[in-house]
Amino acid sequence: EATQKGWLKKQKIFSDRPPGTSSYSFNMRKWPFDDKRVRYAFSYLYNREQMNREMYYNEYDMMNSLYSGTVYENPNNPKFHHNPKKAVELLKEAGYTKRNKKGWLIHEPSGKIFKFEIQIPKTNEYMVTPVQQMLKEYGIDMQIKFVDYNTMIKNVNERNFTIAMVAYAANFFPNPEVEFYSELADKNDNNNITGFKNERVDELIHEYKVCFDQQKRIELIKEATSDIQNVSVLSTKKLIVDLAKEEHAIALIRGLRH
């Protein structure tokens, strides 16, 4: 009513402020997301374009970088779009070739049902349930467990999770060390929740910390995020991919940028 009477005006405000990210972050320390092909498959099955269209009024842009919309974004980063055919191919390569009588994929090398749990607050149900249904169609059983936010974060910080839906604000100047430094991967209570390790990224982080040439800093971050996404699936998560490299776990799927 207020807008109809002209008391309030709806208007979009654009700025150069770095956007934060929300993502499905994979715990690469444990099955099934210790296999990059599985992380990639998840990313290809996650239809973020459909969710943006049907749930968010097309008000979001797709992110393909931890630093989308800034000078630090690498335009050559891998782009993940909905591609079930590619996902099925990767799952077959990873040993998921058959389903049981209930329709769930079986990991042939281990005999395990492709099943895992995600812990979320009840308020996030509307965002996660559609993804659960997307995965179910292809034989993946993502079970939702409702917990309060404090419990979820406690379990993430103690690495007691398989996949987590998390969100981070963005720094004006990137600080990849806190999320991707290898020394933090096997320690609790830090932001390297995915268990990311990569010697080249460590080298780039060290060089970035002592570099005073801004253009060089930009290039260092671009190379680092390319390696990170090649390991993960940023997914942003993230959470994105080069099958020859180690990977991270951010389904970026750190995926939607407002």
Side-chain angles (χ1 to χ4, degrees):
E1 182 183 358
T3 55
Q4 293 174 348
K5 292 183 177 181
W7 298 342
L8 295 174
K9 183 178 181 181
K10 293 182 178 180
Q11 187 169 339
K12 292 182 178 180
I13 306 297
F14 297 91
S15 75
D16 292 328
R17 179 181 64 86
T21 57
S22 62
S23 69
Y24 287 93
S25 292
F26 311 118
N27 188 345
M28 299 190 295
R29 307 171 187 87
K30 58 192 297 187
W31 183 88
F33 295 115
D34 55 349
D35 188 324
K36 181 170 69 174
R37 294 167 296 187
V38 175
R39 299 194 294 273
Y40 277 34
F42 183 105
S43 301
Y44 283 124
L45 292 176
Y46 176 32
N47 193 342
R48 53 184 183 163
E49 292 86 358
Q50 177 185 342
M51 293 183 69
N52 188 33
R53 182 175 63 252
E54 297 180 357
M55 297 174 61
Y56 305 122
Y57 306 98
N58 285 317
E59 286 293 312
Y60 287 82
D61 295 324
M62 301 300 105
M63 295 181 73
N64 298 293
S65 168
L66 288 170
Y67 308 110
S68 289
T70 75
V71 296
Y72 299 97
E73 179 175 6
N74 189 336
N76 298 318
N77 281 349
K79 308 295 190 297
F80 275 86
H81 300 288
H82 187 232
N83 190 338
K85 181 179 179 181
K86 183 63 176 177
V88 170
E89 291 174 357
L90 289 168
L91 289 172
K92 287 181 178 178
E93 288 180 16
Y96 298 89
T97 59
K98 297 180 180 179
R99 299 196 189 198
N100 64 13
K101 293 181 179 179
K102 294 184 178 180
W104 301 119
L105 284 171
I106 302 296
H107 184 234
E108 288 194 63
S110 66
K112 295 179 180 178
I113 297 173
F114 196 169
K115 176 174 65 176
F116 56 89
E117 179 182 272
I118 183 169
Q119 299 181 16
I120 59 169
K122 181 70 173 177
T123 52
N124 288 347
E125 180 180 15
Y126 77 98
M127 292 185 283
V128 179
T129 300
V131 180
Q132 180 188 48
Q133 294 305 309
M134 293 173 189
L135 299 176
K136 181 178 180 180
E137 182 178 349
Y138 293 92
I140 301 171
D141 185 9
M142 183 171 75
Q143 300 186 341
I144 298 173
K145 180 179 180 180
F146 296 116
V147 297
D148 62 69
Y149 180 79
N150 290 337
T151 299
M152 183 192 78
I153 292 300
K154 180 177 184 293
N155 286 334
V156 168
N157 285 340
E158 294 177 353
R159 313 315 185 213
N160 295 323
F161 75 101
T162 302
I163 184 172
M165 184 179 178
V166 294
Y168 291 96
N171 295 324
F172 191 81
F173 295 104
N175 183 16
E177 179 179 7
V178 297
E179 290 185 76
F180 305 114
Y181 192 47
S182 296
E183 188 175 305
L184 302 176
D186 297 320
K187 297 179 180 179
N188 291 348
D189 301 312
N190 63 66
N191 284 349
N192 190 344
I193 65 175
T194 62
F196 181 84
K197 295 180 181 180
N198 185 286
E199 290 184 4
R200 177 55 182 160
V201 171
D202 289 345
E203 293 172 359
L204 293 168
I205 288 172
H206 284 296
E207 187 173 353
Y208 175 76
K209 289 169 65 176
V210 297
C211 179
F212 290 91
D213 182 328
Q214 177 58 11
Q215 188 56 46
K216 177 63 173 177
R217 285 166 61 85
I218 291 172
E219 295 306 315
L220 291 169
I221 289 295
K222 285 183 177 180
E223 182 181 346
T225 55
S226 179
D227 287 341
I228 289 166
Q229 292 184 216
N230 280 337
V231 173
S232 294
V233 183
L234 278 176
S235 275
T236 97
K237 304 169 128 260
K238 26 89 216 288
L239 84 203
I240 297 178
V241 227
D242 170 2
L243 293 178
K245 297 181 179 178
E246 268 188 334
E247 270 145 21
H248 163 52
I250 303 176
L252 222 73
I253 297 182
R254 275 186 170 188
L256 300 175
R257 178 170 71 88
H258 189 64

